[in-house]
Amino acid sequence: MARIVMKFGGTSVANLERIHNVARHVKREVDAGHEVAVVVSAMSGKTNELVGWVHDTPKTAGASSPFYDAREYDAVVASGEQVTSGLLAIALQSMDVNARSWQGWQIPIRTDNAHGAARILEIDGSDIIRRMGEGQVAVVAGFQGLGPDNRIATLGRGGSDTSAVAIAAAVKADRCDIYTDVDGVYTTDPRIEPKARRLKKIAFEEMLEMASLGAKVLQVRSVELAMVHKVRTFVRSSFEDPDAPGMGDLLNPPGTLICDEDEIVEQEVVTGIAYARDEAQISLRRLADRPGVSAAIFGPLAEAHINVDMIVQNISEDGTHTDMTFTVPSGDVEKAISVLSENKEKIGFDVVQSESGLSKVSVIGVGMRSHAGVAATAFRAVAEKGINIKAITTSEIKISVLIDGAYTELAVRTLHSAYGLDKK
């Protein structure tokens, strides 16, 4: 017998038929004798609808300002998960499974006060553990918790993944199964490279890089939590027949296991290729090369909540001036330029230039730590395809290159092939 947390995303619970299918997945684990908690998202499209209502209400009411109370935003958008948890509990009860729904505040999942993007501080899992021990399935509304102001607080888009991993850590689950519309983590996006392979295992660090660099399988914060608390996490498909061979395998169910690096016996040099479109590059020309100039640039950008990624600095021959180039999401270009212009006198640059429509393509693998020539292979491969690299960043386990967006798919396929990921 094991203790399992199962999470189902919006597409998995999109309608009553799919909720019934989810209930069959849950019943399979209950019938096998496991203690089960389930975390659910809102039905597909519901959160967007609720967010739209919140945005439109001030205008409909004739308000002069489009702003609204973030606490009320949370009260509205958290209702989507509340509906799903209740419906799934009813579906399970209809199949003679002892189940009840839980809202975030009932557990409670305690968060900070950042309404709309709250972070989990602590979870008291004792009541759920007791109920699970009595044979009851806990159906938990994901994405929500209880803020210090005693109001519902939501965790940001994709927050149900984070809820599931956090609850798995709190109840000391043997594993956390994330059911989604894909059947695992692939070496790259199968829509771009049909030869992409599903990975049997991937290390926490690799998955964290994949998620932060463009892979949409899991929310970044959920992977961070899993890594910190060593929560073995399976990415699985909810669209597989719940009773198909192997679906009830406790140790090796179909899907991808995200686990500690020590669990992976045969570690590949490169695990996968990730990409992120809609990157933009901003360059500040002829900056004075003096202490504090970087802080003068990136401090105001951080205060404006603009995420800066690749940073490249070039110093002039005489050592008196420098050019600073960095990337931001395309949607933040105008805001970033406005912030920089407001601080021009303090920063001391001649001109600011920008270029949108770029993409970041990344090569990821913990095996890079002990193998030379990984970067050279990447640079040679894209050069042979005539793709110009505008910027490069590296870490112990990743190499990212910035290129023109038009070459994204070509670069992904080229790098995927260069490291033999299409042949193994």
Side-chain angles (χ1 to χ4, degrees):
M1 186 182 74
R3 184 174 293 162
I4 301 172
V5 173
M6 308 170 73
K7 183 267 175 179
F8 294 89
T11 54
S12 302
V13 293
N15 52 46
L16 295 183
E17 289 73 23
R18 290 189 180 178
I19 288 174
H20 176 255
N21 187 59
V22 165
R24 290 178 60 210
H25 279 288
V26 176
K27 188 175 189 301
R28 180 192 66 233
E29 304 297 352
V30 172
D31 288 348
H34 303 311
E35 296 181 356
V36 180
V38 188
V39 177
V40 291
S41 299
M43 298 165 79
S44 183
K46 276 297 172 188
T47 301
N48 287 339
E49 182 181 31
L50 294 167
V51 171
W53 289 352
V54 171
H55 288 326
D56 291 344
T57 296
K59 290 183 285 186
T60 305
S64 57
S65 168
F67 297 109
Y68 47 80
D69 188 332
R71 295 167 296 185
E72 304 306 339
Y73 167 94
D74 279 352
V76 174
V77 300
S79 64
E81 282 72 17
Q82 179 171 329
V83 170
T84 311
S85 62
L87 291 174
L88 180 55
I90 291 170
L92 287 166
Q93 291 164 5
S94 301
M95 297 166 69
D96 296 321
V97 175
N98 181 8
R100 67 151 283 188
S101 63
W102 296 76
Q103 307 312 306
W105 59 267
Q106 292 175 306
I107 294 173
I109 299 172
R110 299 204 175 272
T111 74
D112 62 19
N113 212 23
H115 284 277
R119 298 187 75 86
I120 295 173
L121 300 178
E122 63 175 343
I123 298 177
D124 181 357
S126 57
D127 204 9
I128 284 183
I129 291 172
R130 179 178 61 81
R131 298 290 189 99
M132 290 167 71
E134 295 170 356
Q136 187 177 78
V137 174
V139 184
V140 182
F143 178 59
Q144 57 172 255
L146 183 67
D149 54 2
N150 223 30
R151 300 285 298 268
I152 292 173
T154 62
L155 309 180
R157 299 308 291 264
S160 292
D161 286 347
T162 303
S163 299
V165 173
I167 288 170
V171 302
K172 296 180 172 56
D174 294 283
R175 71 170 198 241
C176 179
D177 291 355
I178 305 290
Y179 286 82
T180 180
D181 53 1
V182 296
D183 61 353
V185 180
Y186 280 71
T187 49
T188 195
D189 188 341
R191 294 170 298 180
I192 288 181
E193 176 49 86
K195 294 179 181 177
R197 296 177 299 103
R198 187 178 74 191
L199 297 163
K200 190 171 182 62
K201 294 181 179 181
I202 184 171
F204 289 123
E205 287 181 86
E206 292 172 322
M207 190 65 236
L208 187 58
E209 292 283 10
M210 293 277 277
S212 63
L213 294 168
K216 301 294 193 294
V217 180
L218 289 174
Q219 190 202 44
V220 174
R221 280 164 59 193
S222 70
V223 184
E224 289 175 344
L225 267 178
M227 184 165 66
V228 168
H229 295 286
K230 305 294 185 189
V231 176
R232 299 173 83 251
T233 305
F234 273 96
V235 177
R236 306 180 63 178
S237 172
S238 63
F239 298 119
E240 294 273 358
D241 185 333
D243 299 319
M247 289 297 286
D249 188 330
L250 177 63
L251 299 178
N252 294 295
T256 300
L257 172 62
I258 307 167
C259 58
D260 197 85
E261 186 181 338
D262 294 341
E263 281 196 55
I264 304 175
V265 179
E266 295 183 15
Q267 187 65 61
E268 304 290 351
V269 178
V270 171
T271 300
I273 312 296
Y275 68 94
R277 300 186 193 267
D278 296 323
E279 295 284 314
Q281 181 174 269
I282 295 176
S283 297
L284 299 177
R285 304 298 183 192
R286 289 189 60 77
L287 287 157
D289 188 23
R290 55 177 173 75
V293 68
S294 296
I297 297 169
F298 299 114
L301 291 173
E303 290 171 8
H305 304 290
I306 296 170
N307 184 38
V308 174
D309 187 15
M310 298 177 160
I311 302 172
V312 179
Q313 184 175 8
N314 297 313
I315 301 173
S316 62
E317 287 186 14
D318 62 9
T320 60
H321 291 87
T322 182
D323 292 340
M324 188 78 75
T325 300
F326 54 91
T327 62
V328 298
S330 289
D332 286 338
V333 171
E334 290 186 11
K335 184 179 178 182
I337 291 176
S338 175
V339 169
L340 294 167
S341 298
E342 290 171 5
N343 291 273
K344 183 176 181 179
E345 188 174 330
K346 182 180 177 182
I347 298 170
F349 59 87
D350 275 2
V351 64
V352 58
Q353 299 172 333
S354 66
E355 181 181 4
S356 296
L358 306 178
S359 290
K360 178 174 59 181
V361 181
S362 305
V363 177
I364 299 154
V366 295
M368 291 184 191
R369 290 179 179 141
S370 55
H371 288 78
V374 178
T377 299
F379 302 150
R380 182 168 56 251
V382 297
E384 288 173 355
K385 296 295 183 180
I387 302 171
N388 184 46
I389 297 174
K390 296 177 176 290
I392 302 165
T393 57
T394 64
S395 75
E396 273 193 314
I397 67 167
K398 77 121 197 278
I399 301 158
S400 295
V401 296
L402 188 70
I403 60 173
D404 284 322
Y407 296 103
T408 307
E409 296 187 7
L410 176 60
V412 168
R413 288 194 295 268
T414 298
L415 291 170
H416 193 265
S417 176
Y419 294 104
L421 295 175
D422 52 350
K423 298 174 183 175
K424 295 171 183 174

